[in-house]
Amino acid sequence: MKKKVCVSTLGCPKNIVDSEKLIATLNYEYEITDNPNQTDYLVINTCGFLQSSVDENEDYVQQAIKLKKLGKIEKIFVVGCLVSRFSKELTKKFPEIDGFFGTDFLDKLPKKIKQNHNELYGERKLLTPSHYAYLKISDGCEHNCAFCAIPAIKGKFNSISIEKLVEEAKYLAKLGVKELILIAQDTTSYGIDFYQQQKLNELLLELSKIEQFKWIRLMYTYPRKFPENILETINLTDNIVKYIDMPIQHINTGILKKMGRGMNKENTINLLNNIRKSVPNIAIRTTFIVGFPGETEKEFAELRDFVEEFQFDRMGVFEYSAEIGTPAYKYGDTVAKDVKAQRLEELMLLQQKIALNKNRKLIGKEMTVLIDEVADNHSIGRTQSDAPDIDQQVIIKSKNLIQGKFYKTKIVDAREYDLIGKALK
Ligand code: SF4
């Protein structure tokens, strides 16, 4: 009888990719189950980015230990970012755990549980719907943003070669993937380690040759040294979507300096305007942090006015979280919790208005929609301006559509963060 293994994935799409590789590897000798309440081995792939995720992940581990004590789980392995960040503390706190592995668990865990097949490059058991998949192009980060724990967790920048990524992409295309989403901590710097120069444009050009991919999407770009040659590539290719995800974090030059972002207000705005000028109708997604230590009402107002003026297509906002081990930790957490919450709400309410205005302008337009889900009386999809899970959706009042298929769709109504569509064909 094959032993059962369940891999629970907490955290970001980069963790999803790692879990998919682990599952594909373990699948050779174990029965894979997605039920963590009834399994022989449970692997918990963790996130340790923010204190809030640390708390959430530790709760999950606690729940698993309870199941083990009830005899529902034989062994528990905790892997990934939380372990890389707090392995000593975790080992003390959770003696019931059978093994802790940091972010290099893909090499080490299979060997621990007597696995003959070590990691077989490129194989993945998709955890996403089979029509889209993430491609992790590098790991680690060489920036040192003052608020961020990731460099301490993931270490130095580590690109995967173009050859290996094309091999993995072709494998995903064979699985039926139509939307390929490029991820990393920082996709802008792709290649600086492996090729001693930025190679994101070359990678995009190679991936765009794989015709099965109708949409290739670029996430997690970093503004400094943004490779503007990719803008022409987006214009010249049919399958690289007009979409850029670029966390900006703030706009006030003093705050950007304290954050260690290597950008100021002027060059940030110049870059964003150039992206918009170079690629007509491109959708720009960004994220901001409010309540960074010392952020005054005036500096926040500057950010709010910038958001109002620039009108991002997609936007997320986070409250500053004082993280042990990060450069900014020494500043203390000086902005009161309720002030942070109020600033976050103010920005999100402003963005809601912006999003509704932009959506209303799409009524009557025809757009290509990729169906992610077909429910009882409606289907849910996305336009090329929407990444899975974080951006908007298109709701189509039809249940006869097919998941993973593209439909020409007429937009008939608009809400803040959703469009209502009618599938044409
Ligand atoms: S770019 Fe900055 S925020 Fe992003 S992972 Fe690197 S250090 Fe963290």
Side-chain angles (χ1 to χ4, degrees):
M1 273 285 288
K2 274 186 174 183
K3 273 195 181 296
K4 283 188 183 158
V5 167
C6 175
V7 177
S8 290
T9 305
L10 309 172
C12 70
K14 282 147 268 182
N15 268 14
I16 291 176
V17 173
D18 290 346
S19 289
E20 291 175 344
K21 289 180 179 171
L22 179 67
I23 293 169
T25 305
L26 296 180
N27 193 31
Y28 278 84
E29 287 190 28
Y30 291 89
E31 181 193 331
I32 303 297
T33 169
D34 55 14
N35 178 359
N37 300 315
Q38 197 65 48
T39 181
D40 297 304
Y41 293 172
L42 175 63
V43 179
I44 306 173
N45 187 4
T46 63
C47 170
F49 181 39
L50 297 173
Q51 192 53 45
S52 54
S53 46
V54 171
D55 299 341
E56 196 190 304
N57 283 242
E58 288 192 353
D59 285 353
Y60 194 94
V61 171
Q62 203 64 282
Q63 296 309 316
I65 289 171
K66 279 194 192 129
L67 288 174
K68 184 180 177 188
K69 287 184 177 152
L70 292 169
K72 295 202 171 177
I73 299 175
E74 187 188 329
K75 290 189 176 175
I76 307 171
F77 301 97
V78 178
V79 306
C81 295
L82 182 67
V83 180
S84 287
R85 193 172 175 197
F86 296 122
S87 59
K88 283 204 202 71
E89 295 84 345
L90 291 170
T91 312
K92 250 196 248 117
K93 200 170 191 174
F94 302 118
E96 303 87 346
I97 298 299
D98 300 275
F100 290 100
F101 298 85
T103 51
D104 57 355
F105 67 86
L106 270 174
D107 298 329
K108 297 203 173 126
L109 179 63
K111 294 191 186 92
K112 164 90 178 181
I113 54 180
K114 301 201 174 12
Q115 170 72 14
N116 298 330
H117 286 267
N118 287 323
E119 189 215 342
L120 290 159
Y121 196 83
E123 291 203 14
R124 300 217 340 230
K125 271 256 176 271
L126 293 184
L127 294 171
T128 55
S130 59
H131 58 276
Y132 72 82
Y134 296 101
L135 185 72
K136 185 165 76 167
I137 67 173
S138 68
D139 222 337
C141 188
E142 310 257 334
H143 297 287
N144 203 18
C145 304
F147 51 81
C148 184
I150 291 176
I153 294 172
K154 290 273 186 173
K156 288 233 161 300
F157 196 80
N158 182 13
S159 301
I160 300 167
S161 74
I162 293 179
E163 292 70 34
K164 277 200 165 172
L165 288 170
V166 168
E167 181 195 327
E168 186 174 344
K170 285 183 176 163
Y171 169 85
L172 293 169
K174 274 205 208 95
L175 292 182
V177 170
K178 299 196 184 88
E179 178 183 10
L180 189 71
I181 306 167
L182 275 55
I183 59 172
Q185 269 79 35
D186 158 23
T187 51
T188 290
S189 304
Y190 174 74
I192 54 164
D193 55 322
F194 199 86
Y195 301 104
Q196 287 75 51
Q197 55 176 309
Q198 288 173 284
K199 283 275 193 178
L200 183 58
N201 194 44
E202 287 80 357
L203 174 63
L204 284 169
L205 282 166
E206 285 307 312
L207 294 172
S208 69
K209 293 175 187 162
I210 305 174
E211 285 161 12
Q212 286 90 341
F213 297 135
K214 303 302 176 213
W215 285 355
I216 296 172
R217 186 181 303 280
L218 183 58
M219 311 285 298
Y220 303 99
T221 65
Y222 191 87
R224 191 155 64 87
K225 295 188 180 160
F226 177 80
E228 300 195 28
N229 56 356
I230 70 169
L231 301 175
E232 195 193 359
T233 299
I234 293 175
N235 282 331
L236 295 176
T237 51
D238 301 334
N239 57 357
I240 301 177
V241 295
K242 296 178 184 300
Y243 176 96
I244 290 271
D245 167 45
M246 180 182 285
I248 300 287
Q249 309 297 8
H250 212 284
I251 199 61
N252 169 269
T253 293
I255 298 256
L256 285 169
K257 191 156 187 297
K258 262 177 98 180
M259 283 181 165
R261 295 288 291 177
M263 292 289 282
N264 61 29
K265 181 170 185 171
E266 193 196 347
N267 55 26
T268 300
I269 293 175
N270 291 345
L271 172 60
L272 291 168
N273 287 338
N274 184 41
I275 291 173
R276 264 196 179 150
K277 203 170 80 249
S278 308
V279 185
N281 304 321
I282 191 164
I284 301 180
R285 155 174 263 279
T286 196
T287 47
F288 291 110
I289 292 176
V290 293
F292 188 76
E295 183 189 56
T296 62
E297 200 42 58
K298 190 160 169 284
E299 287 158 344
F300 171 70
E302 188 182 342
L303 175 60
R304 187 190 51 225
D305 297 347
F306 169 64
V307 167
E308 182 140 34
E309 198 187 319
F310 189 79
Q311 308 255 312
F312 285 93
D313 305 278
R314 309 283 181 263
M315 190 184 93
V317 185
F318 296 91
E319 291 180 14
Y320 172 72
S321 174
E323 295 298 326
I324 297 167
T326 62
Y329 196 67
K330 63 179 180 288
Y331 299 137
D333 198 357
T334 62
V335 179
K337 189 139 187 41
D338 60 338
V339 174
K340 286 185 203 171
Q342 182 226 318
R343 289 177 182 172
L344 182 145
E345 193 189 357
E346 215 173 310
L347 274 192
M348 288 317 288
L349 285 174
L350 174 57
Q351 184 62 20
Q352 227 172 29
K353 274 198 229 106
I354 292 169
L356 182 58
N357 279 340
K358 282 176 181 272
N359 283 347
R360 283 197 173 131
K361 289 187 186 121
L362 298 174
I363 295 175
K365 291 231 168 42
E366 286 184 13
M367 307 182 82
T368 301
V369 171
L370 173 58
I371 299 300
D372 287 326
E373 203 187 318
V374 178
D376 297 347
N377 54 13
H378 66 283
S379 302
I380 296 175
R382 289 172 291 117
T383 70
Q384 69 164 287
S385 303
D386 302 301
D389 298 327
I390 54 174
D391 289 331
Q392 300 191 156
Q393 296 178 319
V394 181
I395 299 163
I396 299 178
K397 292 204 175 100
S398 161
K399 60 179 179 195
N400 307 323
L401 305 184
I402 299 167
Q403 185 191 42
K405 219 167 155 253
F406 293 90
Y407 290 86
K408 206 35 76 246
T409 302
K410 183 164 186 183
I411 305 304
V412 294
D413 199 359
R415 300 177 186 153
E416 285 96 350
Y417 294 125
D418 292 322
L419 295 170
I420 311 301
K422 189 171 178 314
L424 302 175
K425 61 176 182 329

